[in-house]
Amino acid sequence: MIVVLAGLWAFLPNDGLAIVASWFKNKVSELLIQMPYSRGLELEADEVGLQLAATSCFDVRESQVFWEMMADASEKNDELDVEWLSTHPTHENRAKKFEELIPKAIKIREFCNCPSLPQEDPRLVLKSMKAQKSEVVKKEPRTVVVPGIVINPAEL
């Protein structure tokens, strides 16, 4: 596409076409070069942050829970999360990355002589909360409101 624009500009030199070609080149380089680099830096920053949290004796398991909750919140808001158009990884990918990094972070905590982690794993607590919520949603009858008509399944 850029070759076509450059060829067109060579035969019909005009500033408008040069501006469009320059804008297009910048957008292509941003999508193909800069954004993947930014996502890589974000993941590296997550890893370094997790290591710092581990040396500070925080419960590093909470990091995965945080990103899973962020993913759930973005799903509820119907946010379109296309990673290749973003400078940041998706919340789901971040949660998966933290899942891989947590065992190493726990070893760092142990090396730093931190107090032992609480027995209750926040990741398991979140899973059980999600399971309970899905059961409640399945069982709970919903009231349907249509302008002028209210249908409550419990009254039927």
Side-chain angles (χ1 to χ4, degrees):
M1 182 71 177
I2 231 168
V3 173
V4 172
L5 288 173
L8 216 93
W9 183 75
F11 290 108
L12 302 168
N14 117 7
D15 290 342
L17 193 56
I19 290 170
V20 169
S22 176
W23 173 84
F24 183 76
K25 176 195 68 83
N26 289 339
K27 287 299 172 187
V28 167
S29 71
E30 181 180 326
L31 278 173
L32 297 178
I33 298 169
Q34 294 171 359
M35 285 191 181
Y37 181 69
S38 295
R39 286 190 297 274
L41 288 177
E42 283 292 324
L43 289 173
E44 184 180 349
D46 289 345
E47 184 173 355
V48 170
L50 190 65
Q51 291 171 357
L52 290 173
T55 57
S56 300
C57 299
F58 283 95
D59 187 352
V60 291
R61 302 171 299 179
E62 291 283 350
S63 58
Q64 181 183 353
V65 171
F66 173 79
W67 286 111
E68 286 180 11
M69 291 174 69
M70 289 290 287
D72 291 344
S74 66
E75 283 178 15
K76 286 179 186 174
N77 295 333
D78 293 328
E79 293 177 10
L80 182 61
D81 206 4
V82 182
E83 187 168 289
W84 63 272
L85 289 175
S86 175
T87 57
H88 291 70
T90 61
H91 302 317
E92 293 88 6
N93 287 347
R94 275 189 155 162
K96 289 176 188 171
K97 183 69 175 175
F98 275 106
E99 186 176 7
E100 296 170 10
L101 297 173
I102 285 175
K104 182 179 176 184
I106 291 174
K107 288 180 183 174
I108 292 172
R109 279 186 99 255
E110 291 169 358
F111 179 77
C112 293
N113 295 323
C114 294
S116 60
L117 289 168
Q119 291 287 12
E120 194 172 50
D121 189 340
R123 298 171 293 181
L124 299 176
V125 171
L126 180 66
K127 283 182 184 178
S128 68
M129 285 174 44
K130 284 182 180 181
Q132 288 174 356
K133 185 178 178 182
S134 66
E135 287 177 16
V136 168
V137 169
K138 288 178 187 175
K139 292 179 182 177
E140 185 177 296
R142 293 191 173 176
T143 301
V144 178
V145 178
V146 179
I149 303 171
V150 176
I151 303 169
N152 189 347
E155 296 175 357
L156 296 177

